[in-house]
Amino acid sequence: MTTVDRVVGAGIDRIDGPAKVRGTAPYAYEHDPGEPIAHVALVQSTVNRGRITQLDPTRAEAMAGVLAVLTPANAPRLSGDLASDLPVLQSLDVHYQGQVVAVVVAETSEVAKAAVGEVSVEYAAEPPDVRLAVDRPDLYAPEKIMAGYETDSVIGDVDGALAAAAVTVDATYETPTQHNNPIEMHTSMARWDGDQLTMWDANQGPHNIVNDLVAGFALDGGHQVRIISPYVGGAFGSKAFTHPNQMVAAMAARVVGRTVVLELTRQQMFSLVGHRTPTIQRVRLGADPEGRLSAISHEVVEHTSRVNEFAEQTATPTRVLYAAPNRRTTHRLARLDVPPPTIMRAPGETPGMFALESAMDELAHELGIDPVELRIRNEPTEDPERHIPWSSRSLVQCLRTGAERFGWAGRDLRPGVRTDGRWLVGTGVAAATYPARRRKADCRISVAGTPAGPARYVVEIDGSDIGTGAWTALTQIAADALGVGMGDVELRIGDSRLPFAGGAGGSTGLASWGSAIVLTARELRRRLEDEYGGQVPPDGVTVDGGVPGPSPHAQERSMHSFGAHFVEVRVDADTGEVRVPRATSVYAAGTIVNAKTARSQFLGGFCMGLSMALHEESVQDEVHGHYANHDLAEYHVATNADIGEIDIAWLDEDDPYVNELGLKGIGEIGITGAAAAVANGYWHATCKRIRDLPITPDKYFR
Amino acid sequence: MDTEITLRVDGAAHPLTVDTRTTLLDALRERLRNTSPKKGCDHGQCGACTVLLDGRRVNSCLVLAVTVGDAEVTTSDGLAAGGQPHPLHRSFVERDAFQCGYCTPGQVCSAAGVIEEARAGWPSAVTADLTAADAELTDAEIRERMSGNLCRCAAYANIVPAVADVAQASGVRR
Amino acid sequence: MREFRYAAATDPAAAVALLAGEPSGAFLGGGTNLVDLMKLGVATPDVLVDVRTLTSREVTDAADGGLRIGAGVPNADLAADRRVRERYPVLAQALLAAASGQLRNRATTAGNLLQRTRCGYFTDVTRPCNKRSPGSGCGALRGLHRNHAVLGQTLDGPGTCVATQPSDMAVAMVALDAVVQVLGPDGARSIPIGELHRLPGDDASRDTTLRHGELVTAVDLPPMDMPSRYRKVRDRASFAFALVSVAAALRVEDGVVADVRLALGGVAHKPWRAAVAEGALRGRPATEESFAAAADAELAAATPLPGNGYKVPLARNVVVRTLLELTGGLA
Ligand SMILES: Cc1cc2nc3c(=O)[nH]c(=O)nc-3n(C[C@H](O)[C@H](O)[C@H](O)COP(=O)(O)OP(=O)(O)OC[C@H]3O[C@@H](n4cnc5c(N)ncnc54)[C@H](O)[C@@H]3O)c2cc1C
Ligand code: SF4
Ligand code: FES
Ligand code: FES
């Protein structure tokens, strides 16, 4: 076996890059099923709650080119085990606006879309109840919140400590509903061969989708479903779980007996594939005159839907970020007539860190202490709620390094005193944090000798590349673990026929899949050494391996990545327009596998946080109950012109506890805290504290 | 209403029967199975469907196929003349100017258009001197000119140098 | 999208004749607005008469020293035209601040003028909207109207509508006193651009005073010797419609306003010619105080909605700032 230099850590071009830039890498709708594709279009409810009283598909059915119209009356029955919004067309009840009430299948997309308008539907509807408020009498505490966290945490006497504190902050922050809006719209292309279902699908974990299809169609097992997703055009959480589109595509394909495709429209993505719940968060901080926190309280109110309980873990970063003897975090939910919420990039941490890190900035001002210094003074020596040591924690170093790179030293604490022409200028800082987890993953590596050249290693694992760079990073990891060159490794991901892996989510991808590859590669090398004298046998060798789940140290060490953002914010004194001409973000996230793609992940996360700070809000009409700005012209995300110079750096961090590779995951940390940094900079520029995102020009005139 | 047309795409002519409702984007993707232009919104709001029509960048989702006539359609794939990557293809990979890659062929076509527009001396919304004789593709200019192409992965900060590299190499002032 | 016939004509007169016999037909320019609305089911023409390459794609010098812009001139080409850049910077800036490079390449001058409102209730056929479906009500009035009108709305009755006219180019053209040339079944006529777009009045369904089948053939710009500029405020740095915009031209002589043109975008159902402010400014000292007083006088008529009151101070500030910049008082 040849040995080569380590490639983990290098900045290597994406191996899928050449095909992606030309547009030849096949995404869900771009595979060739080998037969003409029929097109699916959706009829959606225009009310939030009620019942269908009349549904007439006859005009649509009569249109030339229409193959079928599925309604609750004739759609295939799905098993009763399906939850949330997956039992599509199984009843006449309507639980949210945008719910699928009929499905058209036609020869062409033009006919399918036109036929939608010819299906007439009437409802007996209740007025929509969509307004989140802290004084709703129906707020309730869920059993648990997401990711297995406790709903509340209460340590010490928070109210007593707040009452006794020399300095306090008590502020309420609001984040709006947001939509993931990956640029590839959710798409499912389905085909049945007998009782075998093949689906080319846009998702962030093929195995996640299989189970719901097996359950829904009462199949014998996962072997009857194959989900193929080698390339996915962004996801950010909305493609993590099964949504109605996969169910509809499978049903429609079964009914018409050929391949169908359902490509959701952008507008439909506002109701059918989830959103980030809006939050109302009250944060109270108590500190002594030196800024040492005596109490932290973070109370969250957020929404969920009638058909699922989605309890976002919004206050959980507050459980780890700062030391304080008295602490409280709570989560309360309102069940509203809204589509089911889902995960969106760093669910919980993203809205939660906006509130906590804004409050820390307010406290720094109250105290007259530099906000970087305030954070350093409250650095905990151990996990402040679990009372276990950190696996590694470098927040202070991130703050110091970032301050240095950004040129923070000597910053004037006073808000609203710097101008440059008509620009009001300020700077802001916030911390970032995200948990480091590992999940179960299986892997298979086969090696075969080639007659002439070197051995080829086929590495198989159902990981996903939703833009994270997994194609490249996993190939690097495999090459190092096998001690061969990247060119000798053939990676296969994005197919439920491959060995099990959880989806790309929770920043667990490389930690889980990479660890599985490392352990399987070690076993393969051991067998080659022990059984074949280090030579690849003529028939080759195949080894199955993997990781069983969380790190064995997960109970005795608290595992998180950390970071710090520094931004310059400029606000037009006449118009309230906001620009962020420069930013520095420094991260400590353990091993960085690919310096090039990792930088892009950090950049992408930070920019999505900036977009959240300044632009993103899905506005729900309280009379009609729909998302009134349901497209990309009205739901604004940052454009190229909104992004300035961004300096990204990371620290060397060696963490022997998290996983085999010492990496903590990088997909989500970049967004956490970013919005707070921008809002804090806005305040420093203008003296105006905008506590409800996004900070659009209108709010300047309050 | 079916209509006979011939679409000239990436150097090849394709006789085709289309519905008058068929957009250029759908004709390319659904009829010709050309996967290079992408659909991200179908309403001119994202830029993923950008192609060059007789050399000018347009949103193919808002162009009806029947109106294309004998104009030459060039997709990002078609920029790879004779299978050789276009300089923008190389610079996008080298600068990691994308993540998921879904907006990317549209970004590449748009970038090709931006460079030609700058070469023709066209100003932009951030051009301070509208009467200047030629256009200078500063970073701010590239940002503005590329803003019709949304990238949800936010590869923007890498797209700018990817475009700048090629602009510079092709003699556009920076 | 509903099925439709596609018709190409040989010349403008033939196009007009064709559409005259098609009560539900429409002219097609670049299609960047019409095709969008057809996909949404908002526009349902049964025949499209393609005029994109039929109407002139040239900008020509007029005898009076002005310019004639062919109806088919793409927005991008118009913005890049040297004469426009040098003599009518307000127009070049308005065009460049609109939409995206791709859209400007395809969109035509006539299509841009006649693009329809971006009101989200208008573009969603499942919502009430008096403009799309007269008598159904106005969804925006009690709904999302953060970017709706503050001036000249119809706030009750069957014409209720609080939408804005979205074209940036039109705002600049209004400040430039452009004249729209039209060819209709009854012959040609000229419409001063200030009379093209209308307020909702008691019929929100009509955006303009054009009659069915009238083809815009050109827009004439009279000569312009005042410095001019366009300032657009939007939610993000690029590729967004105006919250408020201002097109202004100003000539100052001996510290006094000799002549001024002022039009506001994003505030009304039509580009809002700020005649009150113009009147208040002529002959007054060109100072921040007079600019502010004039803006206040214009905006005194504003009737903001619960969710868009910010537009009044915003518009005021942008007027003052833009005029100051034209005096050279602000860089
Ligand atoms: C995402 C997005 C963002 C945008 N942002 C902006 C912006 O910021 N600012 C802005 O100003 N605009 C913006 N636009 C709108 C854009 O400027 C218009 O869509 C475009 O100018 C319309 O021109 P067109 O030639 O494509 O018109 P078409 O869509 O072809 O036609 C529009 C209307 O004009 C009629 N018409 C066309 N030609 C004639 C003629 N010769 N005579 C009579 N009637 C005719 C059509 O029947 C139709 O009713 C945006 C558009 C999109 C999709
Ligand atoms: S504002 Fe005008 S366009 Fe909008 S819903 Fe009301 S009537 Fe329709
Ligand atoms: S698909 Fe054409 S612009 Fe989005
Ligand atoms: S690379 Fe994913 S949207 Fe641009």
Side-chain angles (χ1 to χ4, degrees):
Chain A
M1 213 178 284
T2 50
T3 51
V4 293
D5 287 348
R6 228 171 96 95
V7 289
V8 164
I12 290 173
D13 290 351
R14 282 172 207 262
I15 60 178
D16 47 341
K20 280 184 170 176
V21 294
R22 285 175 59 167
T24 55
Y27 295 78
Y29 184 11
E30 300 175 346
H31 294 265
D32 182 2
E35 62 175 346
I37 302 168
H39 294 260
V40 180
L42 305 178
V43 183
Q44 294 177 280
S45 79
T46 53
V47 302
N48 295 52
R49 182 159 40 143
R51 202 171 156 79
I52 300 168
T53 53
Q54 194 261 345
L55 198 164
D56 181 8
T58 47
R59 279 205 324 276
E61 283 166 343
M63 287 172 69
V66 169
L67 299 168
V69 181
L70 280 60
T71 69
N74 69 0
R77 293 296 93 192
L78 297 173
S79 108
D81 297 342
L82 290 175
S84 188
D85 55 350
L86 296 184
V88 187
L89 301 182
Q90 302 301 296
S91 104
L92 294 172
D93 293 328
V94 173
H95 303 287
Y96 62 93
Q97 185 157 177
Q99 181 177 318
V100 177
V101 295
V103 168
V104 176
V105 194
E107 289 288 353
T108 67
S109 59
E110 292 84 10
V111 172
K113 282 178 187 148
V116 163
E118 302 299 322
V119 178
S120 71
V121 192
E122 282 168 28
Y123 307 88
E126 314 262 325
D129 177 10
V130 296
R131 203 177 130 85
L132 184 66
V134 291
D135 56 359
R136 286 184 68 104
D138 58 349
L139 294 180
Y140 74 98
E143 276 289 296
K144 284 255 178 190
I145 53 174
M146 268 222 308
Y149 289 105
E150 296 299 327
T151 302
D152 295 350
S153 70
V154 180
I155 294 172
D157 173 13
V158 172
D159 295 327
L162 283 171
V167 182
T168 57
V169 164
D170 179 352
T172 299
Y173 304 90
E174 294 181 34
T175 60
T177 299
Q178 297 169 344
H179 279 85
N180 308 55
N181 275 319
I183 294 296
E184 181 199 22
M185 301 182 296
H186 289 227
T187 301
S188 307
M189 185 160 76
R191 162 195 180 134
W192 290 90
D193 295 283
D195 57 6
Q196 281 287 325
L197 173 64
T198 305
M199 190 177 287
W200 296 268
D201 182 60
N203 64 68
Q204 49 196 101
H207 268 90
N208 292 356
I209 311 300
V210 168
N211 293 345
D212 291 315
L213 289 165
V214 168
F217 289 86
L219 303 176
D220 297 336
H223 59 282
Q224 282 175 271
V225 177
R226 182 173 181 193
I227 306 283
I228 302 173
S229 318
Y231 301 99
V232 180
F236 316 108
S238 66
K239 292 175 182 166
F241 305 118
T242 315
H243 294 293
N245 52 294
Q246 285 104 348
M247 291 294 156
V248 168
M251 279 173 144
R254 182 156 258 187
V255 169
V256 300
R258 62 189 251 208
T259 304
V260 305
V261 67
L262 168 56
E263 181 174 40
L264 293 188
T265 65
R266 180 58 58 183
Q267 289 83 349
Q268 288 168 345
M269 284 175 56
F270 283 76
S271 50
L272 290 174
V273 297
H275 58 268
R276 194 198 288 286
T277 175
T279 68
I280 305 173
Q281 307 177 52
R282 182 176 182 193
V283 179
R284 280 173 283 181
L285 303 175
D288 69 14
E290 279 71 53
R292 260 167 291 270
L293 289 165
S294 54
I296 308 177
S297 168
H298 189 167
E299 295 157 298
V300 179
V301 171
E302 49 200 10
H303 83 203
T304 188
S305 74
R306 303 259 175 225
V307 292
N308 75 337
E309 180 177 275
F310 183 88
E312 185 147 334
Q313 70 275 40
T314 302
T316 55
T318 300
R319 297 178 186 171
V320 299
L321 207 51
Y322 300 116
N326 304 289
R327 24 201 331 132
R328 171 172 63 213
T329 59
T330 65
H331 298 83
R332 298 293 176 268
L333 295 181
R335 252 187 217 291
L336 304 183
D337 299 328
V338 295
T342 195
I343 59 177
M344 177 166 166
R345 205 169 199 166
E349 281 77 10
T350 297
M353 287 289 279
F354 166 65
L356 176 63
E357 288 297 276
S358 295
M360 285 297 279
D361 203 62
E362 300 205 37
L363 180 65
H365 175 62
E366 291 298 324
L367 289 158
I369 295 179
D370 176 82
V372 172
E373 178 58 29
L374 177 69
R375 287 173 171 85
I376 293 172
R377 284 188 197 169
N378 287 289
E379 173 72 3
T381 52
E382 57 169 18
D383 184 311
E385 302 215 352
R386 293 168 69 202
H387 300 296
I388 53 175
W390 306 104
S391 64
S392 58
R393 170 166 168 138
S394 315
L395 174 59
V396 170
Q397 296 90 316
C398 288
L399 285 162
R400 293 218 162 101
T401 307
E404 169 90 31
R405 293 176 77 102
F406 185 79
W408 185 263
R411 172 180 181 268
D412 187 342
L413 290 181
R414 293 171 303 154
V417 295
R418 287 149 303 271
T419 57
D420 177 7
R422 298 298 296 165
W423 291 107
L424 310 176
V425 183
T427 50
V429 62
T433 187
Y434 196 77
R437 307 185 182 100
R438 193 183 74 182
R439 293 191 186 136
K440 173 179 162 57
D442 298 335
C443 175
R444 179 180 305 126
I445 304 183
S446 315
V447 59
T450 54
R456 280 202 65 72
Y457 295 81
V458 176
V459 177
E460 298 178 295
I461 182 167
D462 186 23
S464 297
D465 190 330
I466 54 176
T468 54
W471 272 111
T472 313
L474 291 179
T475 304
Q476 290 173 258
I477 289 170
D480 278 3
L482 291 162
V484 301
M486 284 179 70
D488 301 326
V489 175
E490 180 185 330
L491 177 71
R492 295 184 187 158
I493 59 172
D495 186 335
S496 65
R497 283 284 159 85
L498 297 169
F500 172 87
S507 296
T508 61
L510 283 197
S512 314
W513 317 328
S515 298
I517 290 173
V518 167
L519 293 178
T520 310
R522 273 188 207 151
E523 176 61 13
L524 175 73
R525 290 178 82 167
R526 191 194 61 73
R527 281 191 53 194
L528 286 178
E529 283 306 321
D530 292 1
E531 297 169 27
Y532 303 98
Q535 297 298 310
V536 176
D539 295 342
V541 181
T542 295
V543 169
D544 286 289
V547 288
S551 159
H553 309 286
Q555 290 312 313
E556 73 241 17
R557 301 264 163 187
S558 184
M559 303 178 174
H560 302 266
S561 49
F562 293 91
H565 307 289
F566 295 80
V567 299
E568 177 181 321
V569 176
R570 293 179 164 239
V571 183
D572 187 298
D574 298 306
T575 66
E577 294 160 291
V578 188
R579 300 288 182 267
V580 179
R582 69 188 184 100
T584 291
S585 293
V586 179
Y587 303 94
T591 304
I592 297 301
V593 175
N594 184 327
K596 190 172 265 194
T597 57
R599 182 172 169 276
S600 293
Q601 280 280 77
F602 290 135
L603 264 176
F606 173 81
C607 291
M608 198 179 261
L610 182 148
S611 185
M612 167 188 182
L614 301 182
H615 307 303
E616 294 186 35
E617 172 174 24
S618 305
V619 182
Q620 202 161 21
D621 181 308
E622 291 183 9
V623 178
H624 301 105
H626 68 301
Y627 292 106
N629 59 335
H630 58 190
D631 64 25
L632 290 176
E634 301 300 319
Y635 181 94
H636 288 153
V637 303
T639 66
N640 202 320
D642 291 290
I643 304 301
E645 299 290 328
I646 301 171
D647 167 39
I648 299 285
W650 53 84
L651 308 177
D652 285 332
E653 193 180 55
D654 194 11
D655 191 322
Y657 302 106
V658 282
N659 50 56
E660 282 56 32
L661 290 143
L663 63 84
K664 290 178 168 178
I666 56 174
E668 289 162 284
I669 177 126
I671 191 175
T672 71
V678 173
N680 294 342
Y682 183 95
W683 168 82
H684 192 232
T686 61
C687 275
K688 287 175 200 280
R689 184 66 74 175
I690 308 291
R691 298 189 182 87
D692 55 327
L693 297 183
I695 308 174
T696 42
D698 50 325
K699 293 180 181 168
Y700 182 73
F701 293 93
R702 281 179 175 167
Chain B
M1 280 266 309
D2 284 348
T3 308
E4 315 271 318
I5 60 168
T6 297
L7 277 185
R8 301 204 295 142
V9 183
D10 295 340
H14 303 271
L16 207 62
T17 305
V18 292
D19 194 310
T20 45
R21 292 172 291 189
T22 306
T23 60
L24 174 57
L25 178 61
D26 286 344
L28 291 167
R29 284 177 66 77
E30 300 191 334
R31 308 299 305 283
L32 301 179
R33 305 299 293 168
N34 182 326
T35 62
S36 189
K38 308 293 189 195
K39 186 183 285 187
C41 71
D42 216 18
H43 290 276
Q45 304 168 354
C46 75
C49 65
T50 304
V51 299
L52 301 171
L53 200 56
D54 275 343
R56 293 169 66 123
R57 54 181 174 145
V58 299
N59 305 93
S60 62
C61 68
L62 292 181
V63 173
L64 292 172
V66 286
T67 67
V68 173
D70 55 11
E72 180 68 43
V73 181
T74 308
T75 68
S76 179
D77 193 32
L79 287 174
Q84 279 306 302
H86 185 274
L88 282 164
H89 291 146
R90 292 185 206 279
S91 69
F92 267 64
V93 173
E94 160 67 25
R95 294 287 191 164
D96 209 34
F98 57 95
Q99 291 205 52
C100 77
Y102 204 75
C103 72
T104 314
Q107 302 272 4
V108 168
C109 286
S110 204
V114 164
I115 292 170
E116 281 316 305
E117 290 162 15
R119 221 197 278 279
W122 289 10
S124 85
V126 298
T127 307
D129 178 8
L130 276 182
T131 60
D134 58 357
E136 215 179 327
L137 277 189
T138 60
D139 285 1
E141 286 278 0
I142 293 172
R143 287 186 190 116
E144 161 59 25
R145 291 168 192 251
M146 289 296 292
S147 280
N149 295 80
L150 301 181
C151 178
R152 189 57 161 155
C153 299
Y156 300 129
N158 293 345
I159 291 170
V160 173
V163 178
D165 287 351
V166 177
Q168 196 142 34
S170 42
V172 177
R173 275 212 301 148
R174 282 262 299 141
Chain C
M1 202 188 288
R2 222 178 64 184
E3 281 196 275
F4 61 88
R5 284 170 290 132
Y6 173 75
T10 45
D11 59 40
V16 171
L18 228 167
L19 201 63
E22 300 281 358
S24 305
F27 293 125
L28 176 68
T32 60
N33 186 233
L34 185 55
V35 174
D36 186 359
L37 293 175
M38 287 167 67
K39 289 183 182 195
L40 293 165
V42 174
T44 54
D46 52 16
V47 55
L48 285 187
V49 179
D50 194 345
V51 297
R52 188 176 65 91
T53 53
L54 209 63
T55 48
S56 166
R57 293 169 71 81
E58 304 281 306
V59 182
T60 50
D61 290 305
D64 64 357
L67 291 178
R68 166 158 290 194
I69 304 162
V73 175
N75 294 173
D77 299 54
L78 185 57
D81 190 282
R82 287 245 145 244
R83 292 159 293 181
V84 174
R85 285 152 69 178
E86 281 160 15
R87 281 140 61 186
Y88 306 93
V90 63
L91 178 58
Q93 287 167 345
L95 286 159
L96 292 170
S100 67
Q102 292 94 308
L103 288 161
R104 295 193 294 268
N105 269 336
R106 186 74 182 170
T108 62
T109 305
N112 189 324
L113 265 188
L114 300 176
Q115 63 174 296
R116 309 208 65 190
T117 185
R118 306 300 292 197
C119 171
Y121 300 82
F122 173 71
T123 55
D124 181 345
V125 294
T126 65
R127 304 297 147 203
C129 169
N130 288 329
K131 181 179 286 298
R132 177 173 33 73
S133 173
S136 62
C138 170
L141 192 63
R142 266 169 215 84
L144 176 60
H145 56 237
R146 184 175 150 270
N147 198 12
H148 282 59
V150 293
L151 286 160
Q153 320 102 311
T154 299
L155 294 169
D156 52 36
T160 301
C161 179
V162 295
T164 57
Q165 184 287 138
S167 164
D168 289 294
M169 181 191 80
V171 180
M173 286 181 169
V174 163
L176 291 169
D177 281 334
V179 177
V180 181
Q181 302 299 343
V182 169
L183 184 65
D186 306 327
R189 63 178 181 128
S190 304
I191 310 174
I193 193 163
E195 293 165 24
L196 178 70
H197 298 95
R198 56 186 291 285
L199 291 178
D202 58 8
D203 181 5
S205 69
R206 288 172 54 227
D207 298 349
T208 69
T209 54
L210 278 190
R211 298 188 277 262
H212 176 74
E214 281 189 321
L215 178 75
V216 173
T217 54
V219 177
D220 290 339
L221 299 182
M224 180 71 191
D225 58 358
M226 290 192 264
S228 66
R229 70 192 288 150
Y230 190 75
R231 174 71 160 93
K232 175 177 178 181
V233 179
R234 38 188 163 175
D235 276 327
R236 58 183 179 192
S238 187
F239 203 18
F241 285 90
L243 297 173
V244 162
S245 69
V246 169
L250 181 71
R251 186 170 55 235
V252 179
E253 282 165 9
D254 302 326
V256 168
V257 175
D259 199 1
V260 62
R261 308 275 186 80
L262 205 53
L264 306 182
V267 295
H269 194 260
K270 63 178 193 179
W272 189 265
R273 183 69 181 262
V276 175
E278 289 181 1
L281 279 170
R282 285 200 186 87
R284 287 296 172 79
T287 60
E288 181 163 356
E289 291 67 44
S290 9
F291 296 158
D296 287 339
E298 186 69 47
L299 292 162
T303 48
L305 308 170
N308 71 0
Y310 74 95
K311 283 198 177 187
V312 176
L314 174 58
R316 173 191 192 273
N317 287 359
V318 185
V319 167
V320 173
R321 164 94 159 260
T322 308
L323 291 172
L324 275 174
E325 284 169 347
L326 282 169
T327 64
L330 264 182

